[in-house]
Amino acid sequence: MIKTNKFSYQGTGHTFEGVIAHDASLEGKRPIVMISHTWMGQSQFETDKAIELAKLGYLAFAVDVYGKGKRAKNAEQAEEFMNEMLEDRQALLDRLLLAFEEIKKHGLADTDKTAIIGFCFGGKCALDLARSGVDIKGTVCFHGIFDPPGLEQEGDILSKILVLHGWEDPLAFPKDIISLGYELTERNAIWEMDVFGHTGHAFTNPNANSPDQGMMFNQLANDRSWLRMTKFFEEVFSDQ
C-alpha cells in the first residue's frame, strides 16, 4: 500500500513543501530516491514518479526547490521561477543540499543509500547535487540541461551518474553531451549515457506536444529510460 504525505522543511531563509511516498506494507528502512522537479515546480508529475519509486521499495521524495506554494501556472511564470534559481547556482545547490539532509532524518531512511533523479531543469539540479561531491550513490538525469554551475568545484564526483537523453533535444545538443562526458571524466565520476535517437526534449512527459519546439513525448524512450533507471539503482544500491 503506497502512502503519500506532504513533507515540510525549512532552511536558507525559506519554507519548502515536497511530497514523500513509501510502501506502508514494507518494514524497516529503505534507500532514498529524491525527485527534482521540472521548471514548473513540484507537481503531480513528480508525485507520480515518487509513487512509482515507492512501488519499487524506495523512500521517494519529490523535492521542492522553489519554495512552499511557489508553483508555475504557465510557461512564462515557470521561466521566471527557473531563471531566479539559475542566477545563483550556489543558492540552488544550497536548497538541494538542504533537501538531501532533511530527508535523511526520516524514520524510514537508509541514510547510507541515497540517490536523486531529475527531469529537465530537475536534471540540471540532479547533476549539480552530484557535482558538489556529496556522498550520494546514484544520480539519474532525464532530458536535463548540462551546463556546469561555475562554482569552481574540485575533487572527485562520488555519485555514479546515468544520463538519459534525446539526440534531438534542442536544450542540450550532441556537443553538450560530449562536453558533459569530458567534465565527468575529469572529475573521476563513474558515468554512462543512454542517448535515444529521433527523440527530443521532455520525452517522459505525456503532456509534451510541441514538436516544432523539439519537445515531444516519446513512449519508447520513456519506457526504456525508466527501465534503465531501475536497473541502475539495483546496481548502485547493492554496492557496499
Side-chain angles (χ1 to χ4, degrees):
M1 180 176 63
I2 305 301
K3 287 190 174 182
T4 60
N5 300 96
K6 292 183 178 180
F7 183 72
S8 295
Y9 55 105
Q10 294 182 325
T12 69
H14 301 275
T15 298
F16 302 91
E17 186 176 78
V19 175
I20 289 178
H22 71 279
D23 187 343
S25 68
L26 300 178
E27 296 183 359
K29 296 181 184 297
R30 60 210 67 184
I32 301 163
V33 179
M34 300 165 57
I35 305 105
S36 189
H37 57 69
T38 72
W39 70 335
M40 297 297 292
Q42 202 283 318
S43 70
Q44 190 61 45
F45 176 82
E46 291 80 20
T47 297
D48 289 343
K49 299 300 182 184
I51 290 170
E52 292 303 312
L53 286 162
K55 291 177 182 177
L56 297 174
Y58 300 122
L59 176 63
F61 174 33
V63 175
D64 174 19
V65 172
Y66 290 160
K68 183 176 180 180
K70 196 170 184 179
R71 309 292 187 262
K73 296 180 175 62
N74 51 51
E76 291 75 17
Q77 196 171 47
E79 185 173 11
E80 175 189 341
F81 291 167
M82 181 179 68
N83 286 339
E84 286 179 16
M85 293 284 88
L86 299 184
E87 288 174 1
D88 189 342
R89 294 283 282 274
Q90 183 61 58
L92 173 59
L93 175 58
D94 289 344
R95 295 187 182 197
L96 294 166
L97 290 169
L98 172 67
F100 176 66
E101 293 301 326
E102 289 298 316
I103 191 58
K104 290 194 293 182
K105 299 175 183 177
H106 194 281
L108 295 177
D110 182 346
T111 57
D112 292 327
K113 295 181 178 180
T114 59
I116 186 170
I117 70 174
F119 300 82
C120 308
F121 164 71
K124 182 200 291 281
C125 293
L127 289 173
D128 274 12
L129 186 62
R131 285 166 166 139
S132 74
V134 72
D135 189 7
I136 189 169
K137 295 294 183 183
T139 299
V140 184
C141 172
F142 291 84
H143 45 81
I145 305 166
F146 302 150
D147 57 302
L151 300 179
E152 299 183 1
Q153 293 159 328
E154 297 179 352
D156 292 351
I157 291 175
L158 302 181
S159 175
K160 291 184 177 180
I161 294 177
L162 172 63
V163 175
L164 302 160
H165 203 70
W167 182 253
E168 297 176 2
D169 190 326
L171 301 185
F173 294 107
K175 65 179 179 61
D176 301 311
I177 297 172
I178 294 171
S179 295
L180 178 63
Y182 281 120
E183 177 194 349
L184 298 178
T185 299
E186 288 171 1
R187 294 191 61 192
N188 294 318
I190 298 174
W191 64 271
E192 58 189 288
M193 301 188 191
D194 279 10
V195 182
F196 305 105
H198 313 290
T199 304
H201 191 66
F203 61 78
T204 64
N205 187 349
N207 295 320
N209 187 25
S210 300
D212 55 324
Q213 298 178 21
M215 301 182 187
M216 190 76 178
F217 177 67
N218 184 307
Q219 187 71 62
L220 181 59
N222 175 71
D223 295 347
R224 284 180 169 178
S225 62
W226 190 259
L227 178 61
R228 185 67 195 90
M229 178 208 69
T230 62
K231 298 300 183 183
F232 176 74
F233 282 152
E234 289 175 7
E235 172 197 329
V236 300
F237 288 137
S238 66
D239 291 346
Q240 293 295 323

